[in-house]
């Protein structure tokens, strides 16, 4: 039924709607102005941009009554203090990657990504229809935060290396900019992980203070220019199969919102979740071609290296499960969901993708990135 017919049959003329409904709406739609602290710089128009997309939609859904202003990392609080800022109500909202907070509890990693974990599709399935969000919200409650999924980068690249990594031996003593749980996995294989903010990676690679660095994927990596100082561009980033970003809402602030605003926020975050992935997917192919034209050499991690990392990750999971029951509770749900997903994805999705990867590449101009070896 169209709107005119609806109004007519409901006995509401335009005049009646104006005089009766407006005051009721005004009462239920108070002016709310919130500040959002992002962990990311404005230059990253995907990962920072998602917060702006969300804020714009919230305003549009509430007749501009609920306004959110997004601040870049460092503007209100440092990038890695977004959780504290939301917990303590320094800001009402944050937009961040939860694995930045594994120093407080490694369980946070499940809200973003863990090594050899879920890809973007599977993460959404676990979060939305696999019980994942309920488990994570139970965990976040202890930090006085209401968490809402809002963004994903898709499977990341393995990063930039000054030298080729042909065997597991080549990892020994390698100084790599890589954070969190993945850093702990690689430590088992002799890598020396380094924590370096985005802006300082380039000079560290250039001087040889570090041998390798991971960031995100072609679209973001290109902005930092790594191909000039570390030409081997490895894939896949097995530690980030489908890392999710989250919006944090201070719990009291969340509870103070009218239900309609809570709904607007949840819907706008769902939109930003899709928008971010779509922006990365749309931008990555051309960015990868430009990187290769600029000197990057694509290399897959060998099967041997991948397997050694997989084994080391499983070892770390066993150790963490043994000493952290909160971690184990979510791990059990997450990993049994992953295994179940793989049993399905290997059938239709993987065979479809692998057929097209082989079939399209040699023929179509858009298939093989320029400069890539035919075998590669
Ligand atoms: Ca990364």
């Amino acid at each position: 039924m169209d709107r005119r017919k609806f109004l007519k049959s409901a006995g509401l003329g335009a005049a009646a709607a104006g005089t009766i409904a407006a005051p009721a709406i005004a009462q239920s739609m108070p002016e709310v102005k919130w500040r959002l602290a992002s962990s990311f710089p404005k230059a990253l128009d995907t990962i920072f941009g998602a917060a702006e997309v969300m804020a714009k939609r919230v305003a549009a859904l509430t007749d501009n009554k609920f306004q959110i202003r997004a601040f870049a990392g460092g503007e209100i609080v440092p990038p890695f203090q977004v959780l504290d800022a939301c917990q303590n109500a320094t800001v009402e909202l944050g937009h961040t990657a939860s694995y930045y907070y594994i120093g407080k509890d490694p369980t946070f990693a499940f809200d973003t990504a863990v090594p050899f974990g879920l890809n973007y599709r599977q993460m959404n399935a676990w979060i939305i229809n696999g019980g994942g969000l309920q488990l994570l919200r139970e965990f976040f409650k202890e930090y006085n935060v209401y968490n809402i999924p809002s963004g994903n980068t898709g499977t990341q690249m393995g990063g930039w290396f000054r030298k080729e990594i042909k065997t597991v031996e080549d990892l020994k003593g390698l100084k790599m900019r890589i954070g969190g749980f993945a850093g702990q996995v690689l430590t088992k294989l002799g890598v020396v992980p380094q924590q370096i903010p985005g802006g300082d990676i380039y000079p560290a690679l250039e001087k040889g203070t570090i041998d390798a660095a991971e960031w995100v994927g072609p679209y973001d990596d290109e902005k930092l220019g790594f191909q000039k100082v570390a030409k081997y561009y490895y894939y896949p980033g097995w530690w980030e199969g489908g890392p999710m970003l989250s919006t944090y809402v201070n719990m009291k602030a969340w509870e103070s919102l009218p239900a309609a605003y809570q709904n607007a926020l949840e819907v706008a975050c769902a939109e930003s979740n899709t928008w971010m992935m779509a922006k990365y997917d749309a931008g990555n192919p051309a960015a990868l071609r430009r990187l290769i034209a600029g000197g990057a050499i694509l290399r897959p991690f060998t099967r041997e290296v991948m397997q050694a990392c997989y084994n080391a990750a499983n070892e770390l999971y066993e150790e963490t499960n043994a000493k952290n029951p909160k971690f184990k509770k979510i791990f059990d749900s997450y990993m049994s969901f992953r295994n179940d997903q793989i049993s399905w994805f290997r059938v239709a999705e993987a065979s479809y993708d692998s057929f097209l990867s082989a079939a399209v590449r040699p023929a179509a101009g858009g298939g093989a990135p320029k400069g890539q070896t035919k075998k590669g």
Side-chain angles (χ1 to χ4, degrees), residues 272-283:
S272 71
N273 196 48
T274 312
W275 177 88
M276 192 197 293
M277 185 69 261
K279 187 158 174 70
Y280 275 120
D281 278 340

Side-chain angles (χ1 to χ4, degrees), residues 99 156 214-216 239-240:
Y99 63 9
Q156 296 198 355
E214 72 88 38
W215 185 239
V216 178
W239 49 92
E240 294 182 272

Side-chain angles (χ1 to χ4, degrees), residues 138-195:
E138 216 176 278
F139 171 76
F140 272 87
K141 227 180 198 172
E142 294 171 38
Y143 292 84
N144 202 29
V145 159
Y146 186 82
N147 54 307
I148 313 174
S150 44
N152 203 299
T153 69
T155 306
Q156 296 198 355
M157 289 294 281
W160 300 86
F161 292 72
R162 285 157 61 91
K163 287 183 195 150
E164 278 189 270
I165 302 298
K166 290 179 177 161
T167 66
V168 178
E169 275 297 305
D170 294 334
L171 291 171
K172 291 222 168 94
L174 192 89
K175 281 177 278 172
M176 181 173 184
R177 185 270 176 198
I178 184 166
F181 229 57
Q184 292 176 39
V185 172
L186 284 168
T187 300
K188 287 182 177 287
L189 299 168
V191 170
V192 186
Q194 317 275 317
Q195 305 278 0

